[in-house]
Amino acid sequence: MKSYIIEGGSKVCGTIKVSGSKNAALPILAATILNSGDSKLYNIPNISDTKNTLEILGILGCKIKRNSGKIEVNSRNMNKFEIPEELMHKMRSTVILAGAILGRFKEVIFTYPGGCDIGSRPIDLHINAFKKMGIEVKEEAGRIRCKTNRIIGADINLDFPSVGATENVMLAAVLADGTTTIHNAAMEPEIVDLATFLKKMGAKIDGAGTSIITIKGVTKLTNVNYNIMPDRIEAGTFLCVAAATGGNVTLKNANPGHLSAVINKLEECGCTITTSNNSIQIIAPKRLKQIEIKTMTYPGFPTDMQQVFVAMLLKSSGTSVVVENIFESRYKYISEIRKTNAKITIEGRSAIITGKRKITASDMCCTDLRGGAAIVIAALMAKGKSRVSNIEYILRGYEDFDKKLNAIGAKIKLEDY
Ligand code: EPZ
C-alpha cells in the first residue's frame, strides 16, 4: 500500500511541465487496434491507466515498444477479441477498447468496466448505439458478447452527451459500411484529439468538438505518428494547488483554451491568471473569495475539477456552493477531508463549503482518483504532517504527482509499505 507523508502549510511557487492527457491517451491507444499496423504515439503519460491499457493490447496480440513518453503499437498480429476480465475491472476506459475491437474484428467479448466509484456508470448508451449499427449484443453471466457480419453506418442519438459512448461509436464507425452521425455527441477536447488521430490514420470524420459528429466509413487505415494533447485536468489540479496555498505557479505545455471555464472561476475567486498559447501562470491571493459552481458537460465547468475546487474553497473567506450534475455520487472524498476540521455539508447534489476555518493536519485515505487529489490539496493547506493513504488511485491519473509538487516547494514523501 502506498502513501504520501505531506508537511503542509507552505505556499507553492515555481514551474511545472504538464503531462499528456490520460483521457485522450486511453481512447487513442484503443484506436491503434484499427489500422492493423504501426502507431507511434508521443507524450503518453506514464500512469497505471495507460500501463493497464498497454498490458491489455499486448495480451490481445499487439506488439508494444515503450520508450519514456513514446509508445509504439503494432496491431498487425492482433488475434484475440476477448478483453481479460481481471483487467476490465481496473478502470472505466477499458469499455472503449470494445468499440475499437468491434471496428476491426466485428466481434468483442468484455465485462462491465471498473474505474472510480463515482456513480453507477452504466454503459447503456454504448450498447444501444452498437445495436443501432447492426451489432448483436448478448449478455451471459456478466460477460457481454457483441458480434456482427458488418457494421452499418447509422444515425445515433445519445440521450446524454457521454464522452465514452461518443468515443466508442466513433471507433466502431470508422471502418463501417456507410455513414454514422452522432447527435448530442460529447464535445470535450479529448474527443477532438481522438478524431484528429483517426483522421491522420485516414478516417473520414467531421464535426468533432461540436454536438453532431459524422463518420464516413472507409475500408483501409494507415500507419500514424501522433502527439497527444496536454492533460487539462492535471493542469487544473495544479492551478488549484497554487490557489489553495496562496502560491505563484506557471504551467508549461498547458492549453488555456481547454480550461476557460476553470480559469474563469479561479479569477472569480480573486486569482490573477496570465496565459500564452501553451502556458498558464496563476498568482493566488492570501484568502480566496467564495463562489458558486455547477459542473456541466464541456465547455461548461468539468466534473473532474469539482473535487479539487471543493478542497481549494476551504481557503475562501465565505461560504461556497458546488453542484455536481454529472455523476450521482462524486462526494465520497469529503468524509475524509472533514477530518481536517473542514466544514463541508452535502445537500443532494450540492456541497456547501464553509471557509475561514483552521484546516488541521490529519491522516486521510483516497476514495477515487480526483478525490485523492482533493485530499492532497487539503493536506497541503494544513500546517503539520498528514498521511494520505491508498494513493494508488492518484497514480492512475497523475504522472509523477509528488515529484512535480516537490519541485514547486511542497514537502511530500512517498511511503511504500
Ligand atoms: C469520461 O468518463 C472520463 N473518463 C471521466 O474522467 C469524466 O469525468 C467523464 O468522461 C465526464 O467528462 C475517461 O475519459 C477515461 P460519461 P465516461 O460517459 O466516459 C452517464 C477522470 O477522473 N452515462 O460522459 O465514463 C454516466 O453515468 C474520469 O479522469 C450513462 O448513463 O463519462 C454519467 O452520469 C472520471 N450511460 C454521465 O453519463 C452510459 O452508457 C457522464 O458519463 C454512459 C454514461
Side-chain angles (χ1 to χ4, degrees):
M1 175 120 116
K2 291 188 168 78
S3 298
Y4 288 143
I5 308 298
I6 297 175
E7 188 69 48
S10 49
K11 62 168 68 173
V12 293
C13 290
T15 300
I16 291 177
K17 183 175 178 293
V18 174
S19 296
S21 163
K22 165 178 89 78
N23 291 349
L26 298 174
I28 286 172
L29 283 170
T32 61
I33 291 171
L34 291 166
N35 69 352
S36 313
D38 279 316
S39 301
K40 287 194 179 68
L41 305 174
Y42 301 87
N43 203 28
I44 296 274
N46 186 21
I47 51 178
S48 42
D49 273 11
T50 53
K51 287 180 207 159
N52 288 330
T53 304
L54 288 166
E55 189 182 349
I56 295 174
L57 291 175
I59 291 169
L60 297 177
C62 297
K63 290 265 166 296
I64 313 280
K65 267 197 252 162
R66 167 146 224 170
N67 171 6
S68 71
K70 178 183 165 192
I71 303 275
E72 288 183 60
V73 180
N74 183 304
S75 60
R76 185 167 300 107
N77 301 322
M78 188 175 156
N79 51 16
K80 293 192 194 78
F81 46 75
E82 177 161 5
I83 304 174
E85 184 165 350
E86 63 284 3
L87 288 170
M88 263 309 286
H89 292 319
K90 284 193 173 180
M91 51 197 207
R92 166 82 179 174
S93 57
T94 38
V95 70
I96 304 296
L97 287 161
I101 296 170
L102 264 176
R104 164 116 175 243
F105 294 102
K106 314 286 182 284
E107 182 168 3
V108 65
I109 302 173
F110 63 104
T111 54
Y112 280 95
C116 287
D117 178 11
I118 53 179
S120 58
R121 307 194 79 181
I123 56 169
D124 55 314
L125 300 179
H126 302 241
I127 301 296
N128 296 343
F130 287 163
K131 288 178 178 168
K132 283 203 80 176
M133 298 169 84
I135 297 162
E136 185 194 51
V137 181
K138 276 204 193 115
E139 191 176 331
E140 50 221 30
R143 278 149 47 108
I144 302 163
R145 175 190 287 274
C146 302
K147 194 174 165 60
T148 183
N149 295 327
R150 54 194 278 263
I151 299 180
I152 306 149
D155 253 12
I156 307 289
N157 285 278
L158 294 178
D159 293 348
F160 180 88
S162 155
V163 171
T166 302
E167 290 165 345
N168 242 343
V169 173
M170 287 164 72
L171 292 166
V174 289
L175 292 168
D177 294 339
T179 297
T180 298
T181 302
I182 309 171
H183 301 271
N184 197 25
M187 301 193 280
E188 274 71 3
E190 293 77 17
I191 302 284
V192 177
D193 219 33
L194 173 62
T196 309
F197 173 74
L198 289 168
K199 287 195 281 190
K200 270 197 90 175
M201 257 189 180
K204 290 199 178 349
I205 301 175
D206 286 311
T210 75
S211 60
I212 300 181
I213 301 178
T214 304
I215 306 104
K216 196 168 173 306
V218 295
T219 51
K220 181 110 181 63
L221 294 166
T222 63
N223 294 344
V224 61
N225 290 358
Y226 194 70
N227 195 36
I228 302 279
M229 66 175 255
D231 193 313
R232 61 189 171 103
I233 305 301
E234 183 197 22
T237 301
F238 287 123
L239 293 176
C240 289
V241 168
T245 60
N248 174 346
V249 168
T250 299
L251 302 180
K252 296 286 183 207
N253 188 38
N255 182 337
H258 293 160
L259 284 161
S260 43
V262 170
I263 290 171
N264 173 50
K265 285 298 171 184
L266 287 166
E267 288 174 332
E268 215 179 293
C269 287
C271 297
T272 306
I273 308 269
T274 316
T275 63
S276 72
N277 63 345
N278 64 355
S279 73
I280 305 172
Q281 184 192 15
I282 180 170
I283 299 175
K286 213 165 157 36
R287 182 69 64 189
L288 299 170
K289 293 187 194 114
Q290 65 275 17
I291 55 169
E292 303 209 350
I293 290 175
K294 290 183 177 63
T295 66
M296 309 295 284
T297 54
Y298 195 86
F301 187 91
T303 174
D304 293 348
M305 294 300 303
Q306 174 256 100
Q307 305 78 1
V308 289
F309 260 73
V310 166
M312 174 196 88
L313 287 166
L314 292 169
K315 187 90 183 206
S316 74
S317 48
T319 300
S320 301
V321 180
V322 175
V323 184
E324 172 56 66
N325 292 309
I326 305 296
F327 289 100
E328 68 275 20
S329 72
R330 207 167 186 182
Y331 287 134
K332 285 196 171 59
Y333 65 99
I334 289 178
S335 52
E336 291 297 310
I337 292 188
R338 285 189 184 121
K339 295 175 181 173
T340 65
N341 183 44
K343 184 166 183 283
I344 307 173
T345 48
I346 297 171
E347 283 170 22
R349 283 185 171 263
S350 301
I352 297 128
I353 306 106
T354 306
K356 277 198 292 198
R357 286 169 67 96
K358 185 171 171 9
I359 300 301
T360 53
S362 167
D363 288 358
M364 295 173 271
C365 183
C366 296
T367 55
D368 58 85
L369 165 57
R370 306 302 175 187
I375 287 170
V376 167
I377 288 180
L380 288 170
M381 293 161 86
K383 268 196 181 357
K385 196 172 274 197
S386 299
R387 174 195 293 279
V388 177
S389 55
N390 232 11
I391 61 157
E392 284 76 3
Y393 279 114
I394 293 176
L395 303 179
R396 281 192 42 207
Y398 290 98
E399 185 179 48
D400 297 335
F401 196 49
D402 52 329
K403 226 163 91 186
K404 289 177 178 173
L405 287 170
N406 283 328
I408 55 173
K411 296 181 187 73
I412 300 189
K413 265 204 334 258
L414 179 66
E415 194 178 72
D416 193 351
Y417 63 91

